[in-house]
Every structure is written in C-alpha cells, then in structure tokens.
Amino acid sequence: MDQRKDGRKSSLNLVSGFFQYLRDEQEAVQKRTFTKWINSHLAKYKPPLEVNDLFEDIKDGVKLLALLEVLSGQRLPREQGRQLKRIHWVSNIGTALKFLEGRKSLYRGSPIKLVNIHATDIADGRPSIVLGLIWTVILYFQIEELTSNLTSLQPLSTSSSSVESSEAGSPPP
C-alpha cells in the first residue's frame, strides 16, 4: 500500500512539474514578445530607449512612462535623477497607472480598468502583474489604433455604399 502512495506522489510531482514547466515557458514567451513590442515603440522616443529585461527595466517607471508618451503623444511628469529610490519608482508607476485609468477607449467608450495592478507590484517586478499591465497597454493602444484607422476609413465606405445602394435596383453586369 505504501508503494501505491509513493507511486501516486511521484506521478503527481511529475505532473505538477510539467505544468510548472509549461507556465514558465508561457511566461518566457510573453516576456520576449512584449519586450519586442515595447522596444519597437521605445525606438521612437528621443533619445531612443531599450528594454532588455522587462521585469527589471520598468521597475522605476521611467521606461513605462516613456512608452506611454510615445503611444499617446502626450508628455507625462516623472521623477528623474541618478539615484531614484523606491518611493520615486512607485510615484512614476503611479503616474502611469493614473494616466491609463484616466483614458477612455474610443472603441468601447469606457475607461481602462486595471484590476489588481498596483504600483508596488510593478516596482517589485512581479512577473504576472507586469505581464498583465503590458498586455492591457497593448490591447488598449492597438485597439485604439485600429479603431481610429477604421473611423478614418468610414467616410470612404459610406460613400461607396451609397453608390451601391443607388445601383441596387439594376441587375448585376
């Protein structure tokens, strides 16, 4: 009977180890993907910035604010200096979070909701929270960009639809 228990324990350990491996792999893929997306936008910042380690490089909030400035076209206040302390990091991240929460989506008309994302968690470099924040930024700004592109194309589609409606009574060629 003890052998069966030991067998089940080792099977459970193997399965839980495999699931942990999959979670770690998914986190690594998201981290690489989000870092590339951020760097593609931070290259436009003056002077250009770069994120090497996502969880470490946005802890002080400086690169996060720079990213939001590039994406929004607005200037945001920040704590700066050679020796930023944790209180400055939290202040910078807090500025970024307030900025995001104050924006309304043109697509949905509702403000961005940051659920369980706190400045201290970002300053601590908590992977799941950092990834959640960046995913929210990507969704908001990519959807916003696509929506604005669609609204700029809308006059073209309405003009062609009026032509189509005037020809609706005639048979197709």
Side-chain angles (χ1 to χ4, degrees):
M1 184 141 139
D2 285 335
Q3 282 182 332
R4 257 192 270 155
K5 282 184 182 179
D6 289 342
R8 278 188 242 143
K9 280 184 184 177
S10 66
S11 294
L12 287 174
N13 287 339
L14 185 63
V15 169
S16 67
F18 179 69
F19 281 122
Q20 184 60 47
Y21 167 78
L22 290 177
R23 280 191 294 273
D24 293 345
E25 189 62 27
Q26 179 184 15
E27 182 180 287
V29 168
Q30 287 177 337
K31 184 179 179 182
R32 278 192 311 270
T33 304
F34 293 176
T35 299
K36 287 178 184 177
W37 184 86
I38 290 169
N39 284 335
S40 73
H41 291 285
L42 286 180
K44 302 169 194 166
Y45 191 76
K46 300 292 181 218
L49 296 173
E50 185 176 19
V51 169
N52 295 307
D53 182 335
L54 179 60
F55 305 142
E56 290 298 316
D57 291 354
I58 70 163
K59 278 184 172 185
D60 64 4
V62 173
K63 290 180 181 175
L64 178 60
L65 287 169
L67 173 66
L68 294 175
E69 286 181 359
V70 169
L71 293 170
S72 70
Q74 296 179 16
R75 184 90 175 109
L76 299 171
R78 74 190 66 206
E79 302 284 342
Q80 298 184 66
R82 286 184 184 198
Q83 295 288 334
L84 289 180
K85 305 266 189 241
R86 181 175 168 80
I87 193 164
H88 301 117
W89 297 4
V90 172
S91 175
N92 283 339
I93 296 164
T95 299
L97 297 179
K98 282 182 201 144
F99 171 77
L100 287 169
E101 288 175 330
R103 300 211 25 123
K104 285 198 177 202
S105 170
L106 292 174
Y107 177 68
R108 283 178 259 156
S110 59
I112 297 174
K113 291 182 184 171
L114 300 174
V115 180
N116 291 328
I117 297 177
H118 305 285
T120 54
D121 293 327
I122 303 298
D124 291 340
R126 292 191 50 207
S128 61
I129 305 298
V130 171
L131 292 172
L133 173 64
I134 301 302
W135 178 243
T136 301
V137 170
I138 290 170
L139 280 178
Y140 175 76
F141 283 98
Q142 290 300 132
I143 288 175
E144 207 57 31
E145 184 179 314
L146 292 171
T147 304
S148 66
N149 289 342
L150 285 176
T151 55
S152 67
L153 292 175
Q154 198 167 12
L156 295 175
S157 66
T158 55
S159 64
S160 67
S161 65
S162 64
V163 169
E164 290 168 6
S165 64
S166 67
E167 296 174 350
S170 60

